[in-house]
Amino acid sequence: MSPASFWASKVRQFRAHRRAQVEPTERAALVGWLTSAQLALFDSMHLADRRHGLDVVATLRAEGQLDEELLLAGLLHDAGKGDTGLWPRVAYSLGQEYGPWMWRVAALLPGFRDALMRLREHAEASARLAAAAGCTARTVALIRYQDAPRDGDAGERLRLADEAN
């Protein structure tokens, strides 16, 4: 990714985080699709992560994806992030792009150390939460390996839809 496209993507994500909302109709549409435990997990997610999950699902569906396990992974893949705050998320993204030294510096700021740890470990935490909510082993694996897909086509589609949103 070029520096210009990286920054354009991050500015777009920053704005989306700040403006995030989930319409009641979007939430209601999940009732027939998710189990009560999965819906409770979705409801427990930070608002920006719920919006992002819905956007990832919309991207996958726009590509013609009908795989329910993939769509569910797209919806819940960030459940483990919790309420880390916007600025630790910015620091985390910068560390991904420019190296872990950014995380070491940011961790010196009050409240950042734990938030950065949660962000670094969110794929595993999200996978555990999805498993506890009754998701299939395949959905859990798609979530666990979201950054380095092991499920060939589906895993890569999730990764790309995540990046696009």
Side-chain angles (χ1 to χ4, degrees), residues 87-88 91-92 100-113 116:
W87 294 111
Y92 181 73
W101 69 271
M102 296 285 294
W103 298 332
R104 288 190 296 276
V105 171
L108 299 173
L109 297 169
F112 274 57
R113 181 177 305 280
L116 289 168

Side-chain angles (χ1 to χ4, degrees), residues 40-90:
L41 177 57
F42 176 80
D43 288 338
S44 74
M45 292 167 58
H46 185 277
L47 176 59
D49 295 325
R50 282 182 276 154
R51 172 77 266 149
H52 173 66
L54 289 166
D55 293 342
V56 169
V57 169
T59 296
L60 291 167
R61 285 184 171 151
E63 295 172 355
Q65 296 302 309
L66 303 173
D67 179 341
E68 291 293 321
E69 292 171 314
L70 171 59
L71 295 173
L72 188 55
L75 185 68
L76 301 176
H77 73 280
D78 284 342
K81 283 186 175 179
D83 189 6
T84 55
L86 179 58
W87 294 111
R89 289 175 187 235
V90 170

